[in-house]
Amino acid sequence: MKIGVPREIKNHEYRVGLTPPSVAELVAAGHSLFVETGAGAGIDFSDADYIAAGATVLPSATEIFAAADMIVKVKEPQPQEIAMLRPDHILFTYLHLAADKAQAEGLMQSGATCIAYETVTSRTGSLPLLKPMSEVAGRMAIQVGAHYLEKEQGGRGVLLGGVPGVAPARVAILGGGVAGVNAAQIAVGMRADVTIYDISNERLAELDMFFGSQIKTAFASKSAIAAAVRNAHLVIGAVLVPGAAAPKLVTREMLKTMKRGSVIVDIAIDQGGCFETSRPTTHADPVFEVEGVTHYCVANMPGAVARTSAFALNNATLPFALKLANLGAEAAMRADAHLAAGLNVAGGQIRHPAVAQALDLPYSPWG
């Protein structure tokens, strides 16, 4: 198969769909790799590194899309990239369509087979291609939150871990999944006062066993969330409904009760965000203020630590990319129901029920 890797063009996105080691694995399996010049520059890989791995370097995205049968990316295709997709293309990348109807309609018009990293499943029901970036985003959320709590950043002037004689900051984490757990690990390491909120009593019990006395847990009722928001210095939104829009857990009225200079970090912004006042931001302009509260809602948080993120992502995606390349999309999905769960759009139709429901578009099962 001919596989293309374009340079990412989303604002301050430095990750790359395939690293040179991943390219070498695909070349060894008999496939042809085409990489856009400069695609790996953001993580310090040169065109020469890709050539040494067996790839052909092409000067433009237009030539990459024209040459390839499968496009492997990191972030959702931008409008100019969607315009280059063909019905015979396989697109393998993050899509997050539930919060982006325009993108979904563009992909439908392209006719391409679009497989989203974030809805590929595992035998345990987890999301293996979302997990590494959720780990990164969760860990980043705390360091970002701590930074924006600093007074010169417009924050309340609170040190996350406090000092002897002065209480630490209170951190509320909404969601006890992968991102939430990783956020808690860093917050605990920084000696913050941490509470995780979740709607699953079973998950709360697991978290209690895992963290012991290092954190507190609470059932995520509306009243509990309202109290959390009112009392916390830093609130992390880490909820996820696979393929669907994130639920709005925190209303503007709740936000009004927060202390001036507090911070929220909305990890769920790719899926529309879990705060009513959230809107996507970029690394170039990452924060805004509503009701005296700093909002950090960058939709590609892991892009800030691009080298770590690119390697972590490739570790997870490479086996699936190999399967798609070796068998073709249809045979690969018939052979692997977990990969088939990643199919969001194909043949001009929405193929994932949660995406269809979120966008109020017809759902057409595949296969």
Side-chain angles (χ1 to χ4, degrees):
M1 184 177 283
K2 297 175 181 177
I3 303 167
V5 183
R7 181 174 55 85
E8 296 292 325
I9 57 175
K10 189 164 184 172
N11 181 275
H12 284 269
E13 182 52 72
Y14 304 107
R15 290 172 290 179
V16 64
L18 293 172
T19 61
S22 294
V23 165
E25 291 290 326
L26 286 157
V27 169
H31 305 293
S32 300
L33 273 291
F34 299 91
V35 178
E36 184 180 355
T37 184
I43 58 170
D44 202 29
F45 282 122
S46 67
D47 290 350
D49 293 322
Y50 279 99
I51 292 169
T56 298
V57 173
L58 297 177
S60 70
T62 302
E63 290 172 88
I64 293 293
F65 278 75
D69 304 311
M70 177 165 69
I71 302 294
V72 180
K73 282 176 46 60
V74 178
K75 289 305 293 177
E76 71 279 359
Q78 303 303 294
Q80 59 266 50
E81 295 175 310
I82 293 174
M84 293 186 280
L85 287 171
R86 306 186 306 265
D88 62 320
H89 268 142
I90 303 166
L91 175 64
F92 192 38
T93 188
Y94 286 117
L95 292 176
H96 296 293
L97 293 179
D100 193 347
K101 191 170 187 177
Q103 185 202 165
E105 291 174 340
L107 295 178
M108 291 166 69
Q109 290 170 10
S110 77
T113 298
C114 307
I115 300 170
Y117 294 160
E118 71 272 11
T119 59
V120 172
T121 58
S122 72
R123 291 186 182 89
T124 63
S126 64
L127 305 171
L129 306 191
L130 188 61
K131 182 180 179 182
M133 296 304 94
S134 295
E135 291 170 339
V136 171
R139 295 181 181 209
M140 278 190 66
I142 299 301
Q143 66 184 47
V144 164
H147 176 63
Y148 283 104
L149 278 171
E150 295 171 7
K151 192 66 179 178
E152 73 276 11
Q153 301 300 323
R156 192 161 179 80
V158 174
L159 180 65
L160 210 63
V163 292
V166 180
R170 291 183 291 275
V171 178
I173 300 172
L174 308 182
V178 174
V181 166
N182 278 269
Q185 288 176 321
I186 301 303
V188 165
M190 296 177 74
R191 299 189 175 187
D193 180 346
V194 181
T195 305
I196 300 180
Y197 297 79
D198 202 280
I199 58 172
S200 167
N201 284 311
E202 182 180 357
R203 184 58 177 160
L204 292 173
E206 292 170 350
L207 293 169
D208 183 71
M209 290 291 292
F210 181 79
F211 285 103
S213 61
Q214 292 180 307
I215 67 163
K216 297 184 283 291
T217 60
F219 186 80
S221 65
K222 289 182 179 180
S223 60
I225 291 173
V229 169
R230 184 169 60 250
N231 295 320
H233 299 96
L234 172 60
V235 181
I236 308 296
V239 298
L240 175 69
V241 180
K248 302 296 185 187
L249 299 181
V250 177
T251 66
R252 191 180 189 114
E253 289 303 310
M254 291 180 189
L255 195 75
K256 290 178 180 179
T257 70
M258 287 190 79
K259 298 171 180 64
R260 181 165 295 275
S262 297
V263 177
I264 64 172
V265 178
D266 198 341
I267 299 174
I269 194 64
D270 271 329
Q271 298 293 104
C274 60
F275 299 86
E276 184 182 9
T277 48
S278 290
R279 56 175 172 79
T281 60
T282 68
H283 289 294
D285 188 15
V287 297
F288 59 92
E289 184 181 305
V290 179
E291 304 291 351
V293 176
T294 298
H295 291 53
Y296 181 97
C297 304
V298 174
N300 60 327
M301 285 179 66
V305 286
R307 191 172 177 91
T308 296
S309 298
F311 276 103
L313 181 59
N314 271 239
N315 289 344
T317 58
L318 180 60
F320 293 96
L322 277 165
K323 188 172 291 187
L324 286 166
N326 291 340
L327 301 177
E330 184 171 336
M333 289 190 292
R334 292 195 187 283
D336 186 345
H338 301 293
L339 177 59
L343 184 65
N344 279 208
V345 180
Q349 304 291 323
I350 300 292
R351 305 295 188 175
H352 194 286
V355 172
Q357 182 177 13
L359 298 177
D360 194 24
L361 290 171
Y363 165 59
S364 180
W366 173 84

